[in-house]
Amino acid sequence: ARIGTCRADCTQCNNSECASQGGGGNGVCNINGGGQCEGITCDTNCENCSSAGSECQDSFAPPNGCRLDGPNCILDTLNPTMDPTSFPTEPTTSPSNNPSVPPTVSPSNNPSASPSNFPSETPTISPSDNPTTAPSDNPSVPPTVSPSTNPSVSPSKTPTNIPTMTPTFGPSLDPTPSPTEVPLSCGDTGSGFIRQPTTTVNIPLNIDVDL
């Protein structure tokens, strides 16, 4: 059978032809728990070979046979890596039909269980380590470049459109409910005139009185 076809390699078979035609037929291939067709003999899958004796090295498992790697019998690749990982990942049982191109260089170790169906086209370069659990349904555009590190717990629902440029450093905890539009100046009596301060001056008097 030609290399790269179902009759030569169980992994190239679909579910309907796996058992009947895979590896040349005769039931040498089967559907695994992940729904993939794989060989169930040493000559169709290196994982089924024994490391004892020469069974592993004598295997004809496609595409290039098998070889020993310590106590394990593995597929003999033409260009094996010179620095294999010590902690290989388990293959996913449900791979994506539309993988990202190019893939993420440093994927998250704790990906979201419910990713967005509409991800941002320009994701944040340095996302927050502690994102909000209840984000706004109507976020500002554009967002604040330097947001507060200590935002208000109960922000105003109707913020002013013209905030003061020099806010009070120690605002009153009990502000007046109806402040005047034109606050009084120092010394203002409320009549519109500025009351001038008075000064008392003691002047000695010399008075001659004839008795």
Side-chain angles (χ1 to χ4, degrees):
R2 190 171 47 145
I3 295 295
T5 63
C6 174
R7 296 189 66 82
D9 187 349
C10 299
T11 61
Q12 303 300 317
C13 304
N14 59 40
N15 290 7
S16 63
E17 61 188 5
C18 181
S20 61
Q21 301 180 38
N26 301 318
V28 296
C29 302
N30 199 9
I31 304 296
N32 61 21
Q36 305 296 319
C37 185
E38 68 177 6
I40 59 175
T41 67
C42 177
D43 281 332
T44 56
N45 188 348
C46 298
E47 293 180 359
N48 297 314
C49 299
S50 171
S51 59
S54 62
E55 182 181 43
C56 176
Q57 298 91 320
D58 294 340
S59 171
F60 292 101
N64 305 305
C66 308
R67 68 179 180 86
L68 284 174
D69 181 29
N72 302 315
C73 183
I74 63 173
L75 190 66
D76 190 6
T77 61
L78 295 178
N79 296 298
T81 178
M82 301 304 294
D83 186 24
T85 179
S86 301
F87 304 97
T89 58
E90 292 292 333
T92 178
T93 57
S94 300
S96 172
N97 293 323
N98 186 27
S100 60
V101 179
T104 303
V105 177
S106 301
S108 172
N109 293 323
N110 185 26
S112 172
S114 302
S116 172
N117 291 323
F118 303 98
S120 172
E121 294 182 359
T122 54
T124 304
I125 298 175
S126 302
S128 172
D129 293 329
N130 184 28
T132 178
T133 56
S136 172
D137 293 328
N138 186 27
S140 60
V141 180
T144 304
V145 177
S146 301
S148 172
T149 57
N150 185 27
S152 173
V153 178
S154 301
S156 173
K157 294 183 179 179
T158 56
T160 178
N161 294 324
I162 308 175
T164 178
M165 300 301 292
T166 55
T168 304
F169 180 75
S172 172
L173 297 177
D174 184 23
T176 179
S178 300
T180 179
E181 295 181 358
V182 182
L184 301 178
S185 301
C186 179
D188 197 337
T189 62
S191 61
F193 296 96
I194 303 300
R195 184 174 58 194
Q196 299 297 328
T198 58
T199 302
T200 302
V201 179
N202 295 320
I203 301 175
L205 298 177
N206 295 322
I207 301 174
D208 294 332
V209 179
D210 294 331
L211 297 179

